[in-house]
């Protein structure tokens, strides 16, 4: 592990010393005490992506999820409201739900038969005279205090108070809007199942990499080369794409300048309108003249702090496990009303992501080697300075850099620091 | 991120894919006792019984073997049960584990 | 783009698809197969995969090959749900080309591997789309993968479909038409799986 710098300079905080405008300290990725503090100040405080409403489509559907190392059950009650329950019986702390998913209005703990509504409320317990009769206990399953969704993406916050989900998402909400705007029905589903990729690296290495436009030509050169893929060029130094700090720790690789230059509908998806005629017709019916712009500009490539990554046609949910371990859950976006595209999104996702993915297995190899690297004592620091010399502010007031710049990482660290110092 | 140039297997020659089964999909039928309605919490078979002068629903708790028949009027009553009433029946102390 | 763009284009036009429901019951074990030659084939396939003999391993497959590693259970519909691997012959070729570049970092350096294949059963005959009948074989496997950062233990159930067809010299040889690998832990997070399972 890298040592934490101790040279204190007056009023500066610990994180002032670890996070500088152009570099961050290696201990941020290796120190178990920092990881514990992150759990409290980030994962158990801010809004964290959990899943999607489409995973519990029917009343009383439920699915088990991970939220900041907690085993939670995402339920939809009979009235349609979505809840996040901690999977723990109020009696003796036993795990209540064992199946990964199911449909039930209530859950019965297998240990002593305590029964809960899928809202978490205690419904009853066997042999109630032992407690003086029924309704004598004010106990329920634990609930994630705040649950909210945006365009069907469900987030939970363990903090009873704090910024609303909309405030947390800020400008990143517009990127989620861009994604659902590629559906003729204006909505997406995440119903293609989740690949679960165990990753022996600190979660922040992933969050930083997701909008790092510097690595694709190197890490993914092997697959781009053999398929003749046009993706690599989007991330070259000659690319007109930009890296944007969206604020709030969110960032994106905005590839639209490149696609606008080509002005070819569906190029972002590697196809042409004549191969997906029904989809194009439905988009035109839904959006009129604006359909063409949507089909030219394509899907977003955005990292939503701290754990939601939308990579054009895939959605990733990053969950921490330990200082040096996390899990990447990934699935294929399904655009409602676009069956022609959805099957290919599944196929392309299988080829690209997950433990055997021809792209993500190599990213993950880099995360794991990176974790080993930062454990070395010298030179202590990691650079995040690329592009500082050419950063500028766009017409909307966001800081942007070139396609290969570390503008997104700097935005991540600024927000991270503000939360850790709170 | 994706590489759209990766080949698409759904385009190729076809094979029969044998799917794995699960009782909880509701596609499981116990011979003689009918389809099974199941979750991780309970497992009940449902079938029509034609032995009486009118048809009845036969339901069996497969975990204990206990069987109940519900006639048309009883089933109608279940349909009209207020939600709160049904919830009370799910209290383990209400009937099965009294005391 | 290279020739790999072609299947992507073709996929838009095709309406045929593997069926999850349509797989009928297995027929009887087709005539002309001996357990010894089947086992020899499985062991050879395992050795080629263990030793990263990419060319020889790739040559085992038929043109209509399907290589499937489902996720989240025994496997449902690979066209509507994500799998760890779902490769047709063309995608197998792409995967092999990628690893041969030497820059498929998840497999560079290659893993050191040894697997044991056992519990081999000749399960029956499965009609194929070429009008013949493939021999369906089931087996268990246990593999140790050694990588620079540690060892992984892998285990699962493999279903093979074998076909006899003329080889380059005209003599009949056994080829692999289908391989489905159900990892025992595919419902949990699994580490990078970049070797030939």
């Amino acid at each position: 592990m890298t040592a934490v710098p101790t040279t204190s300079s007056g009023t500066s905080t610990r994180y002032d010393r670890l996070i500088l405008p152009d570099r961050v300290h290696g201990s941020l990725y290796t120190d178990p005490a920092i990881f514990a503090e992150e759990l409290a100040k980030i994962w158990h405080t801010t809004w964290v992506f959990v899943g999607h409403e489409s995973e519990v489509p029917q009343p009383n559907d439920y699915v088990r999820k991970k939220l900041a190392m907690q085993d939670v059950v995402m339920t939809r009650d009979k009235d349609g409201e979505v809840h996040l329950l901690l999977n723990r019986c109020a009696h003796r702390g036993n795990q209540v739900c064992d199946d990964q998913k199911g449909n039930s209005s209530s859950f019965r703990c297998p240990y002593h038969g305590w029964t809960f509504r899928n809202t978490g409320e205690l419904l009853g317990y066997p042999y109630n005279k032992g407690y003086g009769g029924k309704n004598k206990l004010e106990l329920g399953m634990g609930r994630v205090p705040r649950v909210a969704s945006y365009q069907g993406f469900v987030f939970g916050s363990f903090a009873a108070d704090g910024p609303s989900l909309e405030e947390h998402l800020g400008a990143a909400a517009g990127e989620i809007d861009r994604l659902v705007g590629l559906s003729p029905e204006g909505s997406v589903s995440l119903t293609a199942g989740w690949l679960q990729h165990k990753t022996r690296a600190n979660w922040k290495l992933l969050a930083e990499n997701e909008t790092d436009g510097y690595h694709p030509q190197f890490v993914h050169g092997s697959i781009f080369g053999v398929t003749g893929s046009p993706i690599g060029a989007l991330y070259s130094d000659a690319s007109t794409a930009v890296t944007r700090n969206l604020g709030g720790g969110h960032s994106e690789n905005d590839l639209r300048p490149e696609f606008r230059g080509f002005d070819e509908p569906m190029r972002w998806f590697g196809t042409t309108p004549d191969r997906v005629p029904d989809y194009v017709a439905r988009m035109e019916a839904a959006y009129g003249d604006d359909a063409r712009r949507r089909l030219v500009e394509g899907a977003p490539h955005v990292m939503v702090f701290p754990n939601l990554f939308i990579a054009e046609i895939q959605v990733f949910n990053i969950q921490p496990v330990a200082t040096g371990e996390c899990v990447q859950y990934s699935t294929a976006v399904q655009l409602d009303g676009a069956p022609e595209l959805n099957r290919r999104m599944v196929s392309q996702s299988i080829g690209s992501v997950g433990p055997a993915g021809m792209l993500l297995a190599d990213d993950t190899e880099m995360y794991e080697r990176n974790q080993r690297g930062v454990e070395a004592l010298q030179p202590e620091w990691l650079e995040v300075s690329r592009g500082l010399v050419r950063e500028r502010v766009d017409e909307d007031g966001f800081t942007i850099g070139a396609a290969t710049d570390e503008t997104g990482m700097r935005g991540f660290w600024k927000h991270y620091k503000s939360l850790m110092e709170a | 991120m994706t590489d759209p140039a990766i080949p698409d297997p759904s385009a190729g020659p076809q094979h029969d894919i044998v799917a794995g089964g699960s009782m909880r999909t509701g596609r499981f039928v116990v011979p003689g006792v009918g389809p099974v309605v199941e979750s991780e919490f309970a497992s009940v078979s449902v079938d029509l019984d034609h032995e009486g002068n009118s048809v009845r629903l036969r339901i069996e708790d497969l975990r204990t073997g206990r069987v109940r028949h519900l006639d048309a009027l009883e089933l109608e009553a279940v349909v009209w049960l207020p939600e709160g009433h049904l919830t009370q029946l799910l209290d383990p102390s209400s009937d099965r584990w009294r005391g | 783009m290279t020739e790999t763009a072609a299947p992507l284009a073709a996929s838009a036009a095709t309406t045929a698809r593997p069926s999850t429901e349509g797989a009928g019951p297995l027929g009887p074990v087709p005539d002309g197969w001996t357990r010894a030659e089947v086992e020899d084939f499985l062991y050879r396939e395992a050795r080629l995969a263990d030793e990263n003999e990419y060319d020889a391993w790739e040559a085992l497959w038929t043109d209509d090959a399907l290589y499937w590693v489902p996720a989240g259970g025994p496997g449902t519909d690979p066209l509507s749900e994500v799998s760890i691997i779902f490769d047709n012959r063309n995608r197998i070729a792409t995967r092999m080309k990628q690893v041969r570049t030497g820059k498929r970092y998840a497999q560079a350096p290659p893993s050191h591997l040894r697997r044991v294949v056992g519990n081999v059963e000749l399960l029956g005959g499965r009609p194929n789309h070429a009008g013949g009948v493939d021999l369906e074989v089931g087996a268990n496997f246990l593999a140790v993968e050694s990588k620079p950062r540690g060892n992984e233990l892998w285990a699962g159930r493999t279903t093979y479909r074998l076909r006899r067809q003329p080889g380059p010299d005209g003599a009949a040889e056994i080829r692999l038409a289908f391989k489905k690998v159900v990892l025992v832990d595919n419902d949990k997070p699994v580490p990078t799986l970049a070797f030939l399972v």
Side-chain angles (χ1 to χ4, degrees):
Chain A
M1 191 197 308
T2 317
V4 179
T6 51
T7 49
S8 174
S9 56
T11 59
S12 71
T13 68
R14 182 185 189 201
Y15 290 98
D16 271 337
R17 299 192 298 274
L18 297 174
I19 301 165
L20 305 180
D22 59 350
R23 57 183 185 165
V24 295
H25 197 262
S27 62
L28 290 161
Y29 306 89
T30 59
D31 184 347
I34 290 176
F35 181 74
E37 200 171 338
E38 287 172 351
L39 270 184
K41 292 187 170 175
I42 295 175
W43 294 96
H44 292 165
T45 302
T46 194
W47 289 99
V48 176
F49 173 58
V50 181
H52 196 270
E53 288 179 0
S54 59
E55 296 179 75
V56 284
Q58 293 296 316
N60 298 326
D61 275 345
Y62 67 93
V63 59
R64 285 174 61 194
K65 289 285 176 182
K66 283 287 186 191
L67 172 54
M69 297 176 68
Q70 294 287 304
D71 186 353
V72 301
V73 187
M74 181 164 82
T75 70
R76 185 185 287 278
D77 69 22
K78 64 180 170 54
D79 300 319
E81 193 182 341
V82 173
H83 306 265
L84 295 173
L85 309 179
L86 300 183
N87 193 9
R88 181 191 202 276
C89 182
H91 174 219
R92 295 285 301 158
N94 205 61
Q95 181 184 304
V96 176
C97 294
D98 190 53
D99 279 3
Q100 284 306 312
K101 61 181 180 181
N103 182 287
S104 198
S105 68
S106 39
F107 305 142
R108 180 162 292 161
C109 177
Y111 196 6
H112 301 93
W114 283 39
T115 303
F116 304 87
R117 301 231 61 162
N118 57 11
T119 57
E121 174 197 349
L122 178 61
L123 199 153
Y125 32 81
Y127 311 125
N128 62 27
K129 283 180 190 151
Y131 296 102
K134 66 187 296 181
N135 299 330
K136 296 295 182 190
L137 299 174
E138 293 287 319
L139 297 171
M141 290 173 73
R143 296 166 52 89
V144 176
R146 291 191 299 158
V147 181
S149 59
Y150 186 80
Q151 301 284 20
F153 289 78
V154 179
F155 298 78
S157 166
F158 279 103
D161 300 302
S164 68
L165 177 61
E166 281 70 20
E167 288 168 328
H168 166 78
L169 291 175
E175 302 307 307
I176 298 175
D177 294 342
R178 268 180 69 197
L179 179 71
V180 304
L182 285 167
S183 153
E185 297 175 6
S187 58
V188 300
S189 295
L190 300 186
T191 48
W194 293 88
L195 293 172
Q196 307 181 67
H197 194 170
K198 181 185 204 171
T199 305
R200 292 183 180 93
N202 186 272
W203 67 273
K204 297 189 294 298
L205 289 170
L206 285 65
E208 290 179 282
N209 181 68
E210 308 300 19
T211 55
D212 170 36
Y214 202 14
H215 81 277
Q217 293 198 63
F218 299 92
V219 178
H220 306 306
S222 61
I223 189 64
F224 294 161
V226 300
T227 62
S229 172
I231 304 289
L234 299 175
Y235 295 101
S236 73
D237 214 36
S239 172
T240 57
V242 299
T243 308
R244 180 173 289 112
N245 173 1
L246 292 166
H250 318 306
S251 61
E252 68 167 333
N253 290 127
D254 186 356
L255 306 176
R256 285 175 291 186
E258 283 285 301
F259 290 125
R260 285 182 196 126
F262 289 110
D263 195 31
E264 295 169 9
M266 299 310 294
R267 183 185 173 93
W268 70 276
F269 194 63
T271 188
T272 51
D274 58 300
R275 290 182 181 153
V276 285
D278 291 348
Y279 170 66
V280 173
R282 285 193 200 191
M283 286 294 285
E284 285 168 348
Y287 303 111
D289 290 344
D290 196 44
R292 189 169 199 282
R293 179 188 64 80
R294 293 168 191 246
L295 298 180
V296 166
E297 292 181 348
H301 187 108
V302 60
M303 177 68 211
V304 180
F305 188 96
N307 74 322
L308 167 62
F309 174 39
I310 300 172
E312 289 93 5
I313 65 163
Q314 289 105 25
V315 169
F316 289 72
N317 175 353
I318 302 163
Q319 292 288 337
V321 173
T323 311
E325 186 175 329
C326 61
V327 174
Q328 304 175 68
Y329 299 88
S330 54
T331 190
V333 170
Q334 301 285 275
L335 299 171
D336 293 344
E340 272 175 304
L341 262 57
N342 287 340
R343 195 162 57 92
R344 287 208 269 171
M345 292 203 182
V346 171
S347 173
Q348 292 198 3
S349 296
I350 295 170
S352 303
V353 307
M358 288 182 254
L359 290 157
L360 263 290
D362 292 323
D363 284 307
T364 301
E365 182 71 18
M366 291 301 130
Y367 303 146
E368 297 188 348
R369 293 189 195 185
N370 210 165
Q371 186 67 28
R372 280 302 170 94
V374 295
E375 286 166 6
L377 288 170
Q378 294 291 337
E380 285 195 48
W381 296 90
L382 287 79
E383 279 287 308
V384 289
S385 65
R386 184 177 172 79
L388 268 175
V389 294
R390 56 183 175 186
E391 237 167 39
R392 62 188 197 278
V393 175
D394 70 9
E395 57 272 24
D396 298 313
F398 296 112
T399 303
I400 58 172
T404 61
D405 288 351
E406 287 157 355
T407 309
M409 295 181 197
R410 289 189 287 277
F412 171 89
W413 286 109
K414 185 179 177 194
H415 188 66
Y416 174 95
K417 187 160 169 271
S418 73
L419 291 175
M420 294 294 276
E421 287 175 338
Chain B
M1 185 190 289
T2 192
D3 179 353
I6 292 171
D8 182 352
S10 58
Q14 310 302 316
H15 289 264
D16 282 343
I17 306 291
V18 182
S22 161
M23 285 179 73
R24 290 175 193 162
T25 59
R27 297 188 193 104
F28 190 80
V29 177
V30 179
V33 296
V36 177
V37 176
E38 189 184 56
S39 74
E40 62 181 300
F41 306 107
S43 182
V44 175
S45 71
V46 293
D47 203 5
L48 297 180
D49 179 299
H50 299 278
E51 298 301 309
N53 289 348
S54 300
V55 64
R56 297 177 297 174
L57 187 70
R58 178 191 185 278
I59 54 179
E60 177 174 342
D61 174 2
L62 293 176
R63 294 185 179 178
T64 62
R66 189 179 170 101
V67 173
R68 172 175 292 268
H69 290 87
L70 291 171
D71 62 41
L73 192 55
E74 288 168 334
L75 280 173
E76 187 197 64
V78 171
V79 171
W80 281 94
L81 269 180
E83 202 64 39
H85 239 102
L86 187 62
T87 302
Q88 283 175 26
L89 298 178
L90 284 164
D91 179 344
S93 281
S94 69
D95 300 288
R96 189 170 169 190
W97 292 290
R98 278 175 188 280
Chain C
M1 262 191 226
T2 68
E3 72 286 356
T4 55
L8 193 66
S11 72
T14 186
T15 51
R17 46 174 290 173
S19 163
T20 54
E21 309 292 339
L26 270 178
V29 172
D31 291 335
W33 293 91
T34 69
R35 162 175 287 278
E37 68 180 346
V38 168
E39 288 180 347
D40 283 350
F41 180 86
L42 301 193
Y43 299 156
R44 185 157 62 93
E45 191 264 345
R47 173 170 49 79
L48 295 174
D50 279 347
E51 297 180 357
N52 305 303
E53 293 279 353
Y54 302 130
D55 293 346
W57 184 83
E58 189 180 345
L60 297 176
W61 292 93
T62 60
D63 290 342
D64 64 344
L66 200 58
Y67 175 32
W68 185 24
V69 183
T76 51
D77 178 2
L79 297 185
S80 64
E81 292 187 26
V82 290
S83 300
I84 296 172
I85 294 172
F86 185 63
D87 286 359
N88 62 355
R89 184 65 186 81
N90 207 325
R91 194 178 272 186
I92 290 171
T94 301
R95 199 177 283 282
M96 295 297 98
K97 282 182 199 162
Q98 184 191 21
V99 76
R100 283 191 202 102
T101 63
K103 295 187 299 177
R104 162 65 160 170
Y105 294 107
Q107 205 46 214
S111 303
H112 297 296
L113 291 155
R114 281 299 160 192
R115 78 194 72 191
V116 173
V117 175
N119 304 42
V120 176
E121 293 176 274
L122 277 55
L123 298 173
R126 179 79 67 187
N128 61 39
H129 294 265
V133 176
D134 294 337
L135 172 67
E136 190 154 308
V137 179
N140 295 344
F141 81 95
L142 191 60
V144 174
E145 178 195 20
S146 170
K147 296 184 73 177
R149 289 183 303 281
N151 290 1
E152 300 292 348
L153 186 63
W154 299 89
R157 172 73 170 173
T158 309
T159 304
Y160 307 83
R161 289 180 199 157
L162 308 186
R163 189 180 304 163
R164 220 186 278 282
Q165 65 180 50
D169 59 359
E173 60 180 27
I174 301 174
R175 300 281 281 276
L176 184 56
F178 177 94
K179 184 181 184 187
K180 176 184 176 186
V181 182
V182 180
L183 301 171
V184 294
D185 51 359
N186 77 359
D187 58 344
K188 293 191 289 203
V190 297
T192 293
L193 198 174
F195 66 92
L196 300 172
V197 70

